[in-house]
Amino acid sequence: MKTKMVISVMSKDRPGIIADVTGALLQLEGDVADLNQTVLCGYLTMILGVTFPSGITREDIFASISHVKSGEKFEISVKELPETENFNEIPQPEESYILSLQGPNCKGIVHAVSSICGRNNVNIIDLGTSLQQDRYTMAVQCSIKEATCTLEELRKEFEEYGRDANQTIMMQHYDLFRATNEVTLH
Amino acid sequence: MLRSDQILSTVEMIQKENLDVRTVTMGINLLDCHAETVAKTCANIEEKIHTFAGNFVPTCNEMGERYGIPVVNKRISVTPIAFVGAGFERDGFVEIAKALDRAATSVGVDILGGFSAQVEKGMTQTDHEFIASIPDALAQTEKICASINIATTKKGINMDALAMMGHTIKAIAEKTADNNGFGAAKFVVFCNQPGDNPFMAGAIHGLEESEAVLNVGVSGPGVIARALDRLIAAHPEPGALQFDELAEEIKQTTFRVTRCGELIGRAVSMSLGIEFGVVDLSLAPTPAIGDSVGEIFKILGVDAIGAPGSTAILAMLNDAVKKGGIFASKTVGGLSGAFIPVMEDSLLAEAVGDGSLCLEKLEAMTCVCSVGLDMVAIPGSVDADTISAIIADEMAIGVINAKTTAARLIPVPGKEVGDSVSFGGLFGAAPIMPIRNIGKSSRFIAWGGRMPAPIHSFKN
């Protein structure tokens, strides 16, 4: 029986962090099934899905990664997945939409948008923001499969927020963005 | 997750450039509707259209809502009616037109095309009866569009049919004189008419097509114009952009626009269980501000539409649209080129008014784009033979160059050069186009017979 762990690591960014962390996991015979990383404000954060031989514990993983020599201590979090869940069985939600927001920067935008999502049981799958010359841009991928309102109602709620907050908000099906940006025709 | 710049480029297309799907057109074969009587044939036609297209409009609206891209027009094309009504007489064809009109209204489509005949080589007695019925059919219906294919590259031009076209157009205009000859705006004469074109007035469901099929027309020229504007604004310094870079921008924008059409068309197709046909890449302008092919001429460097350079610009535009679109879609068809319908494009109409665009230049431009002399309002006094001769020139361009060409000329009753005409809505408005050398082609039209098919070698 294998053990499946989800591990998150945050550290000051420098060349070689991913090699060091995955090297530490390899020493425990860990097999990286999935990895996602990003750098923000000079800090790197990564989240990994790793399969280990049975018997490997959360403490073993903490210890192995903590031994990596780095300028700053890693912040590590480890969760064990139930046996019934698999890394590669998280399909793209059927009703996945992209919410895009553009406008002047102001406080509380992410909170407001995510609150509307949360209130209507819309699950945020991915979210990215950028700020250029006081122009704020946010792109949110979300699933409305379990939403407690209709798409029309959701669009209306975002429109109202956009009007009040002087932001332009649009919500389009994810497939539209794939179709217009990917070579492969799905 | 896609990168945010990719997301924003698509968002800009939708938001600022009025991206839409210009039309989803359902082609329906009506051959099996033919019965012994006109009445039974009409009943069969209405029943079949209801069966196939009953949920068509709501489904298009639902998909438009789901994807956040509107489907502007929902249309139907049918098997050329001269085949469906074989053996019927003129009055019978008028009854069929009325039945089609009722069916189109009942299922809620904007317009229905296919009141048509294909007579590029010869005409049957039915074809004669059918052609004779067109003026009344168009005058007594609202949503019906008619077309006649009188020429192909393989058969040449049917000169007998050509001679009839001038008289037919005049008769249609006169029957609808109380509306400035509007009926003629719903009648097109074709060379090499495609059987899968989703755009009106020339849409038919060709004999080569299956029982029912969905064809999609992509968004209009406004999207291309705004993309070019943005590119040029980002490179303000002289010499920063060259013509090939503008062509590349058109190509990439068309790719994205075509993908949107394909996505929504296939979603409608899957939902209705009706085969997906083709994406037609044509850039079809509308009279709305910012949705003009004429505007693209000006963006690309001529200060007047019709000025030297206009044909070259149109050639590049047409080619770049095809290059971008063909890679984006599994199946491309229809007309797939830039349209230059004068009345439907406010800047082209303006160019006619200020004298910068004349009929001869327009004809030259149709050599490098689809679809031909489209929506040109001419003086009501122009004689039938002159109209047929103008059509003959346009047909010859199509025959020799192995491309689709067409003529949609509107001799506006009681109007002359200096006047204007407006049909409103998508059909637009324009000043009356001057016609030179009126009445000097009758001996040519009188020959009749056929213009033989051209040789396909020694291309010069």
Side-chain angles (χ1 to χ4, degrees):
Chain A
M1 187 60 70
K2 305 247 178 181
T3 306
K4 285 168 274 186
M5 301 280 192
V6 176
I7 304 162
S8 87
V9 180
M10 188 170 96
S11 161
K12 187 85 180 164
D13 192 29
R14 63 165 173 79
I17 293 181
I18 294 176
D20 290 346
V21 171
T22 52
L25 298 173
L26 191 59
Q27 283 179 358
L28 299 173
E29 294 186 47
D31 179 10
V32 177
D34 206 351
L35 188 156
N36 215 328
Q37 70 97 49
T38 190
V39 177
L40 193 72
C41 304
Y43 277 83
L44 175 141
T45 180
M46 69 174 128
I47 185 161
L48 308 95
V50 190
T51 307
F52 294 96
S54 71
I56 297 289
T57 64
R58 294 171 68 235
E59 289 69 27
D60 295 332
I61 295 166
F62 272 113
S64 185
I65 298 176
S66 299
H67 281 128
V68 173
K69 286 181 182 161
S70 194
E72 194 173 307
K73 198 180 167 191
F74 289 140
E75 293 193 23
I76 308 163
S77 180
V78 181
K79 299 281 178 198
E80 186 170 348
L81 273 189
E83 275 179 31
T84 48
E85 285 190 33
N86 286 319
F87 293 128
N88 55 1
E89 287 180 6
I90 307 165
Q92 196 67 238
E94 282 172 29
E95 290 301 325
S96 182
Y97 277 74
I98 298 279
L99 185 78
S100 63
L101 173 146
Q102 284 180 294
N105 188 27
C106 64
K107 279 184 194 167
I109 296 175
V110 175
H111 174 68
V113 169
S114 56
S115 296
I116 294 173
C117 290
R119 195 158 58 238
N120 293 293
N121 206 32
V122 171
N123 190 28
I124 294 176
I125 302 162
D126 207 341
L127 187 155
T129 67
S130 67
L131 182 63
Q132 282 183 331
Q133 296 166 339
D134 204 45
R135 187 164 176 79
Y136 190 75
T137 302
M138 178 161 69
V140 182
Q141 186 184 354
C142 56
S143 167
I144 65 162
K145 197 174 179 190
E146 310 281 332
T148 49
C149 63
T150 65
L151 177 60
E152 194 182 349
E153 288 165 345
L154 195 59
R155 279 196 174 123
K156 199 173 166 197
E157 198 167 342
F158 280 122
E159 261 171 39
E160 279 168 11
Y161 166 69
R163 210 164 32 242
D164 294 345
N166 195 23
Q167 304 287 330
T168 307
I169 303 187
M170 292 195 75
M171 194 173 178
Q172 250 84 31
H173 200 282
Y174 181 64
D175 287 352
L176 189 68
F177 294 88
R178 294 181 79 192
T180 52
N181 289 288
E182 294 178 1
V183 168
T184 307
L185 187 57
H186 298 278
Chain B
M1 174 95 168
L2 297 155
R3 294 196 320 270
S4 61
D5 62 322
Q6 293 175 318
I7 289 170
L8 292 180
S9 69
T10 303
V11 167
E12 292 234 340
M13 280 203 319
I14 297 161
Q15 192 182 27
K16 295 185 182 164
E17 299 158 10
N18 299 320
L19 178 74
D20 53 36
V21 173
R22 201 42 62 87
T23 180
V24 178
T25 302
M26 182 186 285
I28 305 173
N29 183 305
L30 296 184
L31 281 178
D32 59 357
C33 295
H34 180 86
E36 278 191 24
T37 64
V38 170
K40 179 62 180 158
T41 303
C42 289
N44 289 347
I45 287 172
E46 287 187 69
E47 189 186 340
K48 187 157 187 183
I49 289 175
H50 279 137
T51 303
F52 279 88
N55 287 324
F56 176 45
V57 174
T59 306
C60 287
N61 291 340
E62 186 190 318
M63 290 306 152
E65 173 70 18
R66 175 177 152 92
Y67 288 100
I69 305 270
V71 178
V72 181
N73 296 294
K74 279 74 72 174
R75 297 163 170 169
I76 289 175
S77 62
V78 297
T79 312
I81 289 297
F83 294 123
V84 179
F88 293 155
E89 294 179 347
R90 173 182 167 159
D91 291 347
F93 282 113
V94 175
E95 289 308 308
I96 291 178
K98 289 181 189 169
L100 288 167
D101 204 35
R102 284 192 299 273
T105 304
S106 159
V107 298
V109 293
D110 306 288
I111 209 157
L112 183 149
F115 197 72
S116 307
Q118 295 179 324
V119 297
E120 61 269 22
K121 193 173 178 194
M123 285 182 284
T124 61
Q125 183 56 36
T126 297
D127 291 327
H128 280 279
E129 294 289 331
F130 173 78
I131 291 170
S133 78
I134 293 174
D136 280 323
L138 293 183
Q140 293 177 36
T141 57
E142 279 185 22
K143 292 177 182 274
I144 303 305
C145 287
S147 56
I148 304 283
N149 192 65
I150 64 162
T152 66
T153 297
K154 289 195 168 176
K155 303 295 177 194
I157 302 175
N158 181 340
M159 297 293 287
D160 294 324
L162 173 74
M164 292 170 73
M165 291 302 101
H167 293 285
T168 303
I169 290 169
K170 293 275 286 183
I172 297 169
E174 277 151 23
K175 290 258 181 193
T176 53
D178 54 347
N179 196 8
N180 290 316
F182 177 57
K186 297 188 285 180
F187 177 68
V188 202
V189 183
F190 267 99
C191 167
N192 294 322
Q193 183 179 24
D196 54 4
N197 156 34
F199 288 103
M200 295 296 175
I204 57 166
H205 183 69
L207 290 178
E208 70 281 12
E209 298 288 324
S210 51
E211 194 71 22
V213 71
L214 285 177
N215 298 317
V216 171
V218 300
S219 196
V223 182
I224 304 287
R226 298 290 78 76
L228 289 170
D229 275 343
R230 204 169 49 238
L231 179 73
I232 292 166
H235 299 82
E237 59 284 6
L241 276 177
Q242 295 188 324
F243 204 53
D244 50 349
E245 288 162 293
L246 298 166
E248 183 62 23
E249 182 68 20
I250 295 170
K251 203 168 86 181
Q252 290 190 19
T253 305
T254 309
F255 174 87
R256 286 201 277 269
V257 166
T258 306
R259 275 290 170 84
C260 290
E262 173 108 4
L263 178 73
I264 290 166
R266 286 192 185 275
V268 174
S269 155
M270 188 172 288
S271 179
L272 290 173
I274 288 181
E275 181 189 334
F276 184 81
V278 300
V279 176
D280 188 320
L281 309 175
S282 298
L283 291 182
T286 63
I289 301 295
D291 199 24
S292 157
V293 167
E295 187 184 7
I296 297 176
F297 284 86
K298 293 195 169 180
I299 293 170
L300 290 178
V302 289
D303 298 329
I305 301 162
S310 299
T311 308
I313 285 173
L314 189 55
M316 181 277 269
L317 172 66
N318 207 48
D319 184 61
V321 162
K322 286 178 190 170
K323 284 171 176 164
I326 279 172
F327 184 60
S329 171
K330 284 180 187 165
T331 46
V332 171
L335 297 163
S336 288
F339 293 173
I340 45 172
V342 174
M343 290 189 70
E344 294 171 357
D345 187 310
S346 56
L347 268 75
L348 290 177
E350 202 178 293
V352 170
D354 66 27
S356 53
L357 182 60
C358 64
L359 188 76
E360 289 77 9
K361 184 62 175 175
L362 199 61
E363 182 188 305
M365 284 157 56
T366 67
C367 297
V368 297
C369 76
S370 70
V371 65
L373 294 171
D374 196 13
M375 288 298 284
V376 183
I378 61 175
S381 58
V382 176
D383 63 287
D385 288 348
T386 300
I387 292 173
S388 286
I390 293 169
I391 295 170
D393 288 343
E394 195 57 42
M395 298 296 103
I397 290 170
V399 167
I400 297 295
N401 294 297
K403 71 188 285 291
T404 301
T405 52
R408 188 160 45 146
L409 305 171
I410 304 135
V412 185
K415 301 252 181 182
E416 293 300 325
V417 174
D419 295 332
S420 297
V421 62
S422 172
F423 295 137
L426 286 176
F427 291 92
I432 303 295
M433 171 81 88
I435 306 293
R436 297 195 298 143
N437 295 312
I438 293 172
K440 295 180 181 172
S441 310
S442 293
R443 283 190 301 114
F444 160 65
I445 294 301
W447 291 120
R450 291 165 58 196
M451 181 171 120
I455 193 161
H456 290 291
S457 188
F458 304 98
K459 292 262 183 189
N460 275 313

